[in-house]
Amino acid sequence: MRERQSFSSRRTWLGMAAGGLLAPARIFAKTPEDAIIESKHPKMIVHSRRPANIETPVELLDAWITPVDRFYVRSHLYTPAVDAATWRCEVRGLLDNPLALTLDDLRNMPAVEAPVTLECAGNGRAAFRPRPLGTQWVRGAVGTARWRGVRLRDVLERARLKPAAKHIVFDGADTGIMKAADFIRSVPVEKCLQPDTILAYQMNGKPLETAHGFPLRLITPGWEGAASVKWLTTITAAAEEFDGPFMKRAYRIPVRPVEPGTAVDPKDTRVITSLAVKSVIVHPRSAAEARAGLIRGFAWAGENQAVKVEVSTDGGRTWNTADLGSDRAPYAWREFRYKWRPPGAAGVLMSRATDSQGNTQPMTPSWNPGGYLGNTVEPVSLDAEQDQRPRLTALPEGPGKQIWDRSCAVCHDASVVFNQRHDVNGWTRDIERMEGMGAQLSAGDKKTLAAYLAEHFPP
Ligand SMILES: Nc1nc2c(c(=O)[nH]1)N[C@H]1C(S)=C(S)[C@@H](COP(=O)(O)O)O[C@H]1N2
Ligand SMILES: [Mo]
């Protein structure tokens, strides 16, 4: 067991059932999240323990296929523990032949396997100004795994979709916390019928781990991670896009560019589909590493291909084309390498990818309220060791601390705030977002809590 395990991570349903009067009801049983954190590389960045939101420091992304212990985790709700023996995936809705698939049923169907890069649409959010609310992913909510399973198309053909079916709705075994909405997503039927869309039961040659959707998840290749629903229990053929907050409110971007800081009417936004062209320098990330004289990293472009990567070693004044690696697959990132002679003094490195449609990473962020698809060129300064890990500490004492314990800690631990920075207005908006998910606070509590958070976690 690791040091950083905290008592607060073992808050239980008992505590929640107490209706927010959280007596220190602690059970010393491990939560699935405790087991996830133990299974991950010790350098992983824990944005929140429970729900489990864990980022990979980019220097650990140094292989074409990301090992599972270095693969990021993004979960909106508590991680479900699924019993494979009784588990079924129901296929129902607008179809003629409803199914209840067992794992054996799936294993008996023709298998397919493909390396696919998965990236959270919120990856890069920490670089937007003003800072959007939400988990402050830096650059490492991305990884590439070999996913093995069956074609979704094969399952839908067996289920015999009716012509009226236009969207397929995916729900997993995770359910809403308090009033928080269940994580349910739909994908248009055309994407579901593409032969590359997989119902995956294996990741890198082994059964899916709990964190990544055991026993079955969707892999919607090239699309933002949220379209790849984990812990699948029902697949429903429907006439319409699913009407729920994870389709209609979150994971949407403006249809046209907006000024940073602008509020955008939801009707001027669309659901995010493909990821954007992007690259990340994995090495060097420090002056010491730079002495090896090799710059390398990965580039990807969602449904498109990354076809060119340029590298700058002078802060963006001049650019040189990098070599691309031989490992490739339609929806997987591509390694790039550039040999150089590092100067004695530290400098600023950049990489800039271009995709098969001619899109190139921008130098300035295309700001959007949700902080999605952040793909600006990243300046990697070699001056200092880059340690992006938030320092995990306890919440400081103060008037807001009791309110926190009473109203916030019933659903998540304090690690969610340690790397967020907002002024009073920002914290107030975040608290209101939490009220929307069921947090119980009086008007006075809200003011006190926002002031307390702004004092300790200011911009
Ligand atoms: N059931 C369920 N599926 C989910 C999520 C979730 O919270 N619940 N998170 C989604 C998001 S936003 C992302 S980015 C990916 C992350 O997959 P990973 O945790 O295996 O990296 O899973 C997606 N599938
Ligand atoms: Mo995501």
Side-chain angles (χ1 to χ4, degrees):
M1 205 182 287
R2 297 222 180 97
E3 283 300 333
R4 65 179 174 218
Q5 245 173 0
S6 66
F7 277 55
S8 60
S9 68
R10 297 193 196 90
R11 300 260 192 250
T12 61
W13 294 100
L14 232 89
M16 294 181 54
L21 288 173
L22 191 78
R26 292 161 186 152
I27 287 184
F28 288 83
K30 258 205 257 174
T31 64
E33 286 79 5
D34 291 334
I36 289 168
I37 293 192
E38 277 181 32
S39 75
K40 292 287 174 183
H41 191 287
K43 288 203 168 136
M44 296 290 277
I45 302 163
V46 179
H47 287 283
S48 75
R49 293 184 57 99
R50 192 157 195 262
N53 287 297
I54 306 171
E55 171 167 357
T56 316
V58 289
E59 66 271 17
L60 290 189
L61 293 173
D62 63 0
W64 190 57
I65 297 296
T66 313
V68 178
D69 73 333
R70 299 176 176 208
F71 208 98
Y72 82 98
V73 179
R74 202 289 176 247
S75 300
H76 294 79
L77 309 169
Y78 295 161
T79 299
V82 176
D83 175 4
T86 54
W87 174 86
R88 299 281 182 281
C89 181
E90 281 190 43
V91 186
R92 61 191 194 194
L94 295 174
L95 40 81
D96 290 323
N97 184 34
L99 307 167
L101 298 166
T102 65
L103 264 183
D104 280 341
D105 294 336
L106 292 157
R107 289 198 201 99
N108 288 332
M109 291 176 66
V112 289
E113 186 173 77
V116 171
T117 297
L118 198 67
E119 183 189 19
C120 183
N123 192 28
R125 180 175 291 137
F128 287 99
R129 295 293 177 278
R131 260 173 209 270
L133 301 175
T135 306
Q136 299 295 303
W137 303 103
V138 187
R139 300 267 163 185
V142 60
T144 300
R146 288 183 203 279
W147 306 98
R148 186 181 180 82
V150 303
R151 291 195 168 105
L152 174 59
R153 185 175 74 177
D154 292 351
V155 168
L156 295 178
E157 276 173 7
R158 249 170 86 175
R160 296 204 305 274
L161 285 187
K162 291 189 202 283
K166 299 290 182 237
H167 297 265
I168 309 294
V169 181
F170 298 89
D171 191 7
D174 52 341
T175 52
I177 304 171
M178 312 278 279
K179 273 197 275 167
D182 197 356
F183 186 83
I184 301 174
R185 297 271 312 184
S186 65
V187 177
V189 85
E190 306 81 68
K191 180 72 177 174
C192 295
L193 292 177
Q194 274 175 22
D196 306 312
T197 302
I198 304 177
L199 292 175
Y201 48 72
Q202 276 192 10
M203 179 181 186
N204 294 350
K206 296 221 180 86
L208 289 177
E209 289 197 0
T210 301
H212 300 291
F214 178 85
L216 190 73
R217 80 177 299 169
L218 181 62
I219 293 294
T220 309
W223 285 24
E224 54 131 349
S228 291
V229 179
K230 303 190 279 191
W231 311 293
L232 286 173
T233 50
T234 59
I235 298 177
T236 309
E240 305 285 341
E241 182 178 280
F242 183 70
D243 186 9
F246 291 102
M247 294 301 295
K248 303 293 187 194
R249 293 217 313 269
Y251 295 108
R252 299 180 71 95
I253 44 165
V255 290
R256 59 191 88 82
V258 299
E259 283 298 313
T262 326
V264 180
D265 192 315
K267 73 176 184 339
D268 296 324
T269 64
R270 65 166 179 87
V271 176
I272 300 170
T273 55
S274 179
L275 293 167
V277 62
K278 193 158 168 179
S279 62
V280 62
I281 293 176
V282 171
H283 293 298
R285 303 290 304 191
S286 66
E289 268 183 18
R291 283 193 283 272
L294 180 66
I295 298 170
R296 61 187 198 91
F298 292 96
W300 63 100
E303 289 191 296
N304 300 319
Q305 313 273 307
V307 294
K308 183 166 84 173
V309 180
E310 297 158 288
V311 171
S312 173
T313 58
D314 56 11
R317 274 188 292 281
T318 61
W319 294 87
N320 307 283
T321 303
D323 294 327
L324 297 183
S326 52
D327 289 323
R328 58 195 300 184
Y331 301 98
W333 61 16
R334 192 99 186 256
E335 189 180 7
F336 65 87
R337 287 168 172 263
Y338 179 71
K339 283 208 182 73
W340 67 311
R341 198 192 291 270
V348 175
L349 307 181
M350 294 180 181
S351 66
R352 178 171 80 182
T354 299
D355 72 15
S356 39
Q357 301 291 307
N359 302 304
T360 298
Q361 285 180 257
M363 294 300 287
T364 50
S366 45
W367 191 91
N368 60 89
Y372 294 121
L373 301 181
N375 70 336
T376 43
V377 169
E378 178 197 16
V380 178
S381 164
L382 298 179
D383 292 336
E385 284 294 332
Q386 313 238 329
D387 188 347
Q388 315 154 316
R389 265 168 294 161
R391 276 179 301 124
L392 291 186
T393 55
L395 275 183
E397 289 304 320
K401 176 77 166 51
Q402 292 85 39
I403 298 168
W404 175 279
D405 287 342
R406 203 164 60 226
S407 303
C408 310
V410 290
C411 286
H412 53 76
D413 62 58
S415 56
V416 294
V417 305
F418 294 149
N419 70 338
Q420 302 233 38
R421 295 287 180 272
H422 304 295
D423 59 15
V424 176
N425 291 332
W427 281 115
T428 303
R429 277 186 291 127
D430 209 17
I431 293 166
E432 283 167 356
R433 200 164 65 96
M434 294 298 131
E435 285 186 297
M437 300 203 229
Q440 305 283 317
L441 295 120
S442 69
D445 283 354
K446 262 166 69 175
K447 264 184 107 166
T448 310
L449 183 61
Y452 163 84
L453 290 169
E455 182 192 339
H456 295 287
F457 304 96

